[in-house]
Amino acid sequence: MRRATNDVGVVVRDSNGLVLGSCFIPSGNISSLFAAEALAVIHGLRFALELGCMHVVLESDSLTTISKLKSGVDDCSLLRPYIADAQSMAQAFYSCHFSFTPRNGNEVAHCLARLGQASAVDSYWVEDIPPQALSLVQADRRC
């Protein structure tokens, strides 16, 4: 997952890299970068559940968020509600792993987040992706 400003971009793929769904969600006026990143995780998990995915590897370029999600320590930061929600949601999957991915490894979600900047409404695609992000998906699959 990648965000631009406070907008969320999510792409859900299968183990072969095929797109199962994608979305962008304008997140409004979230003042904290870390809260926006954690909210992106929650949106990603929710969308994966709605698509019926039961084995998930959630990737984010926010090392802080991923570290807090993987930690067994009770988080006392302002992210605590988001982290607790995400960890609770993770229990609904057969398996759910959180993984840090550098920003350049998250270009599809970043592109979707940029598309969300121009929209006032959430937009979802099932088994599809907006044409503006298609070339990035194809490039990812070649790697």
Side-chain angles (χ1 to χ4, degrees):
M1 253 146 274
R2 177 71 202 124
R3 42 156 239 78
T5 63
N6 288 334
D7 302 308
V8 173
V10 174
V11 60
V12 179
R13 301 186 232 200
D14 68 10
S15 59
N16 296 315
L18 296 174
V19 173
L20 301 176
S22 60
C23 68
F24 58 73
I25 303 161
S27 294
N29 296 320
I30 297 174
S31 60
S32 163
L33 172 68
F34 295 116
E37 292 286 0
L39 186 60
V41 168
I42 291 169
H43 285 303
L45 290 173
R46 184 174 298 129
F47 193 34
L49 278 171
E50 290 170 0
L51 290 171
C53 302
M54 296 312 296
H55 300 278
V56 173
V57 176
L58 186 133
E59 297 177 342
S60 172
D61 63 1
S62 172
L63 184 58
T64 299
T65 301
I66 293 300
S67 295
K68 288 180 178 294
L69 286 164
K70 293 170 94 172
S71 173
V73 177
D74 190 22
D75 180 45
C76 295
S77 72
L78 294 174
L79 294 183
R80 183 180 190 166
Y82 300 108
I83 299 301
D85 283 353
Q87 289 171 328
S88 177
M89 289 177 74
Q91 300 302 310
F93 298 97
Y94 293 143
S95 65
C96 181
H97 302 282
F98 299 106
S99 177
F100 170 73
T101 300
R103 182 176 183 165
N104 64 353
N106 236 345
E107 290 300 321
V108 177
H110 180 65
C111 176
L112 290 166
R114 282 193 315 264
L115 292 173
Q117 288 178 316
S119 178
V121 297
D122 299 355
S123 296
Y124 292 83
W125 294 263
V126 176
E127 296 182 0
D128 202 4
I129 194 155
Q132 299 93 321
L134 186 57
S135 64
L136 293 170
V137 169
Q138 292 168 339
D140 278 356
R141 291 196 67 217
R142 285 192 292 268
C143 295

